[in-house]
Amino acid sequence: MGRVGLTPERLTLAGAELADEVGFDQVTVSALARRFDVKVASLYSHLKNSQDLRTRIALLALGELADRGAAALAGRAGKDALAAFANVYRDYAREHPGRYAAAQLRLSPETAANSAGVRHARMMRAILRGYDLTEPDQTHAVRMLGSVFHGYVSLEAGGGFSHSAPDSQESWSRILDALDALLRAWPAP
């Protein structure tokens, strides 16, 4: 029997907190055992291995992002929806850098199909319907937006914009304006 109070959910949350503190790449079952001051073996009744823990953290992060995205999108359309969704990603990455990194973990096809990642895709496509895009343009636009959001967030987190003017918030706002304009004028195939 495992230590009283240890559950897969509690361990996942503690692993997510650890990821935010030390980086997702540093999260292991051993590191988690040290956090709870228990032997590694005592965690194996709750977790298969470090990959299982990392997958659980990724799924937690995807769920948190999807919940935030859904709340931010409620009642919004067009540029307001686009900006709200983009800001969810940026804010989440700032608040939870380790969890944000976890959300980028490559999942097995079955795990991905049953994850909150599906909700992310649906929300993104709902935003794009406001721009009157159909397939395959929606897929191209989803990939473009994901690339821009992730690229900007990653560069900003790495300090890439901290040494020059203008402020990165001004650039972020201009980028969202440009994305909105691009989506409104999306070229026909």
Side-chain angles (χ1 to χ4, degrees):
M1 183 170 167
R3 184 178 172 118
V4 176
L6 292 183
T7 64
E9 294 77 19
R10 185 171 178 215
L11 293 170
T12 300
L13 187 56
E17 292 167 357
L18 183 63
D20 287 338
E21 293 167 15
V22 301
F24 182 60
D25 58 338
Q26 299 299 313
V27 175
T28 62
V29 173
S30 297
L32 196 57
R34 285 191 296 276
R35 186 177 198 98
F36 283 99
D37 196 26
V38 298
K39 294 187 186 300
V40 173
S42 68
L43 299 186
Y44 286 121
S45 62
H46 305 289
L47 302 167
K48 294 176 191 169
N49 51 38
S50 289
Q51 186 59 35
D52 179 38
L53 174 61
R54 293 168 58 81
T55 299
R56 288 172 182 270
I57 296 167
L59 294 172
L60 171 74
L62 287 169
E64 289 175 343
L65 269 166
D67 291 345
R68 286 184 181 200
L73 288 177
R76 298 177 193 263
K79 183 181 175 194
D80 288 340
L82 175 68
F85 197 71
N87 286 328
V88 162
Y89 275 79
R90 186 174 181 223
D91 293 346
Y92 190 81
R94 288 172 156 181
E95 294 168 29
H96 300 291
R99 293 178 205 205
Y100 180 79
Q104 311 311 310
L105 183 69
R106 184 179 186 110
L107 302 172
S108 72
E110 182 180 339
T111 301
N114 293 306
S115 76
V118 175
R119 289 175 55 206
H120 293 266
R122 285 187 195 134
M123 285 185 277
M124 186 73 78
R125 288 180 184 281
I127 292 167
L128 293 173
R129 280 194 300 273
Y131 291 97
D132 202 29
L133 296 181
T134 59
E135 284 301 339
D137 291 331
Q138 269 192 12
T139 298
H140 297 311
V142 165
R143 292 172 179 168
M144 177 191 67
L145 293 174
S147 298
V148 171
F149 298 163
H150 179 67
Y152 195 91
V153 163
S154 297
L155 289 169
E156 186 175 47
F161 307 134
S162 61
H163 303 294
S164 62
D167 180 72
S168 68
Q169 178 58 44
E170 184 178 339
S171 296
W172 179 249
S173 296
R174 300 276 306 262
I175 287 168
L176 294 179
D177 289 342
L179 288 171
D180 175 65
L182 175 63
L183 290 169
R184 289 184 190 288
W186 192 269

